[in-house]
Amino acid sequence: MIKESINKTCIIVGASHAGVNCAFALRRNGWQGKIKLYDADPELPYHRPPLSKAYITASENADVDLLFPKQNYETEKISLNLGVKVTSIDKVLKTITLEDESKVQYDKLVLATGAKPFIPPIKGIENALDLYPMRNFTDAIHIKNALNASVEKNVVIIGGGYIGLETAASSRKMGANVTVLERESRVLERVTAPEMSAFFTELHQKNGVKILTNKNVVKFEADATKNIILCEDGTSYSADLIVVGVGIKVNTDLAQNIGLELENGIKVDQNSRTSDTNIYAIGDCTYHFNPHYKRFLRLESVQNAVDQAKIAASSICGNDLIYDAIPWFWSDQYNVKLQMVGLSQGYNQIIKRVETDRENCKSIWYFKDDELLAVDAVNNAKAYMLGSKIIKNNTKIDKVKLQDNTIKMTPRSFLFL
């Protein structure tokens, strides 16, 4: 396959973490043919996680954090086609059609189409002033400019997930008055235990953010200068800036239009190949089987995007590898670094461990019977690293020892002796 690739073309649709890493991985795996990257975003591919964190609070002229310098694409002969939208695919003729109706031939195609923010159909939302999601560079610029336009802004964030809370922390650092409206009974309800939700609620409240739960937004009203947000319980909130972080919608239109198998995203096999043998899919848009947890997943994380990119590139070059990664995530809020490894869904016991030798250092360990499913580590890299090894190796550990914070955390600390 590698020798044959010299006259072949691989097209990648989507130039974020998954698509860009796939392009460079193709070269590392020996792909000698053309590599063409297409993305509707005109910006040189950049890291997305810092947008809701360091970028908003950085100096006014801070540059976006690039995935790779422009020169690297030229060195590796990767054709970057930015600000270019792919409108359709013909899997029989093996062509893509661009917005200007021109067609480009491919031999292998990779869909790294990601997802877009879900904007809920709330009455009056189309008339709201300074309302933005937080997904890309343009969104971050709008939010940053809105925060810089006044010394003191009333910011309302709809949605208490990680994106909402990170943006809340950044907005608060910029001097804004911040209110988070969460529809569920606690923040982070879909992704973590009540104890972790309580920790982050307290963290934000200590930093002056109002965290309000059971708040279902039903209407927006706007006058010449501000928004009024009305909730189902009759309460209302004034906002100069509104950030919507209530979830995403997977970009599957291209895949759906050519009949690729879909299920909670684009369904792929263990090599990131779709139901068409010449088309692969990677990143946020994919639904894949995880051998460790023995079920299909769709993950929204940089780790998944990068790891799947490597698997797809290897497979395209004739070396099929099985995707068998343990998911991990992170979130930075104020002086807290949260590192998460594994998936906690299905847990029936948690163990909370607080380290007494360090300030604000703790971890929550999620078990299903004797199996460790996941670890949430707050300012605790040791717990994150140790949890990663235990989960990957499916090691059974002594829970009594784990709960005893007088026992130092080492690779052998909690083993049964």
Side-chain angles (χ1 to χ4, degrees):
M1 173 65 75
I2 293 176
K3 291 181 179 179
E4 296 172 355
S5 71
I6 193 167
N7 296 316
K8 305 286 187 180
T9 298
C10 181
I11 288 178
I12 302 172
V13 182
S16 189
H17 292 86
V20 167
N21 278 279
C22 185
F24 283 94
L26 281 168
R27 288 295 186 227
R28 289 195 299 272
N29 279 274
W31 181 267
Q32 298 177 39
K34 295 178 180 178
I35 301 174
K36 297 182 179 182
L37 267 170
Y38 291 87
D39 200 299
D41 193 330
E43 298 294 329
L44 202 64
Y46 51 86
H47 288 276
R48 291 179 183 267
L51 294 178
S52 59
K53 311 176 187 75
Y55 180 78
I56 291 180
T57 58
S59 62
E60 187 173 350
N61 297 319
D63 293 326
V64 70
D65 188 9
L66 299 179
L67 290 174
F68 294 95
K70 186 177 181 180
Q71 182 181 350
N72 290 35
Y73 298 90
E74 297 168 354
T75 301
E76 296 295 340
K77 296 182 179 179
I78 296 169
S79 173
L80 264 181
N81 301 275
L82 303 174
V84 180
K85 183 178 181 180
V86 176
T87 57
S88 65
I89 300 166
D90 187 323
K91 66 177 182 178
V92 177
L93 296 178
K94 295 169 70 173
T95 61
I96 63 168
T97 301
L98 307 180
E99 201 165 23
D100 64 3
E101 299 186 358
S102 62
K103 298 182 185 299
V104 187
Q105 195 85 28
Y106 70 83
D107 296 283
K108 297 293 182 181
L109 176 64
V110 181
L111 299 177
T113 50
K116 55 180 170 286
F118 173 68
I119 305 299
I122 300 171
K123 185 176 181 181
I125 194 169
E126 68 279 1
N127 299 318
L129 306 170
D130 279 335
L131 181 146
Y132 308 105
M134 171 54 83
R135 184 72 182 180
N136 58 32
F137 179 66
T138 301
D139 298 330
I141 284 286
H142 285 314
I143 293 169
K144 186 181 183 71
N145 288 343
L147 288 170
N148 285 332
S150 174
V151 175
E152 192 172 50
K153 283 272 187 178
N154 289 322
V155 177
V156 172
I157 296 173
I158 300 173
Y162 286 116
I163 288 294
L165 294 182
E166 287 169 2
T167 307
S170 299
S171 300
R172 190 71 190 110
K173 285 183 179 180
M174 295 293 288
N177 299 315
V178 182
T179 301
V180 175
L181 302 179
E182 168 57 49
R183 185 178 64 177
E184 306 301 333
S185 60
R186 58 185 175 89
V187 299
L188 305 173
E189 183 166 4
R190 290 178 294 175
V191 294
T192 195
E195 288 80 359
M196 194 59 72
S197 295
F199 170 79
F200 277 100
T201 296
E202 183 180 358
L203 174 68
H204 280 272
Q205 289 173 337
K206 284 182 177 179
N207 282 276
V209 174
K210 295 179 181 178
I211 301 287
L212 304 176
T213 57
N214 297 306
K215 294 293 182 181
N216 185 29
V217 178
V218 294
K219 187 179 180 181
F220 291 93
E221 294 179 352
D223 59 25
T225 59
K226 65 179 181 301
N227 303 284
I228 301 297
I229 301 169
L230 293 93
C231 294
E232 193 173 40
D233 62 5
T235 56
S236 62
Y237 305 89
S238 175
D240 302 299
L241 169 65
I242 302 171
V243 179
V244 179
V246 296
I248 55 94
K249 183 178 180 182
V250 184
N251 292 324
T252 58
D253 290 351
L254 289 173
Q256 183 175 6
N257 290 341
I258 58 172
L260 296 184
E261 185 176 358
L262 302 180
E263 185 178 350
N264 189 26
I266 304 171
K267 196 169 185 179
V268 296
D269 66 11
Q270 61 189 8
N271 312 123
S272 290
R273 189 184 289 109
T274 71
S275 52
D276 184 301
T277 56
N278 293 308
I279 302 177
Y280 293 74
I282 54 179
D284 291 7
C285 65
T286 65
Y287 191 57
H288 64 277
F289 185 77
N290 184 288
H292 182 86
Y293 291 100
K294 299 178 177 60
R295 60 190 173 94
F296 277 87
L297 307 169
R298 190 181 60 75
L299 299 173
E300 300 161 27
S301 72
V302 172
Q303 167 268 318
N304 178 63
V306 173
D307 286 348
Q308 278 193 322
K310 295 174 183 176
I311 295 293
S314 181
S315 181
I316 289 170
C317 292
N319 181 25
D320 285 349
L321 298 177
I322 296 175
Y323 183 48
D324 187 17
I326 303 298
W328 55 265
F329 316 83
W330 80 94
S331 179
D332 294 318
Q333 300 172 44
Y334 308 108
N335 62 342
V336 165
K337 175 173 282 295
L338 171 64
Q339 294 171 287
M340 300 156 278
V341 60
L343 299 171
S344 62
Q345 289 88 344
Y347 74 91
N348 54 24
Q349 181 186 7
I350 65 168
I351 290 177
K352 182 178 179 181
R353 180 182 167 102
V354 178
E355 309 303 329
T356 56
D357 59 338
R358 285 163 286 169
E359 185 179 358
N360 211 12
C361 180
K362 61 189 69 179
S363 54
I364 292 183
W365 302 64
Y366 300 82
F367 290 88
K368 182 178 181 181
D369 302 326
D370 290 327
E371 179 188 1
L372 180 64
L373 298 179
V375 176
D376 292 345
V378 174
N379 295 334
N380 194 338
K382 285 185 179 180
Y384 169 77
M385 295 298 295
L386 182 59
S388 300
K389 293 179 181 178
I390 293 171
I391 294 169
K392 183 176 182 179
N393 298 324
N394 201 18
T395 306
K396 299 297 184 290
I397 62 174
D398 190 327
K399 297 178 187 177
V400 175
K401 292 180 180 177
L402 175 62
Q403 292 181 78
D404 186 352
N405 62 6
T406 65
I407 299 176
K408 290 186 177 181
M409 195 170 288
T410 71
R412 294 184 57 84
S413 295
F414 313 125
L415 300 180
F416 288 101
L417 301 178

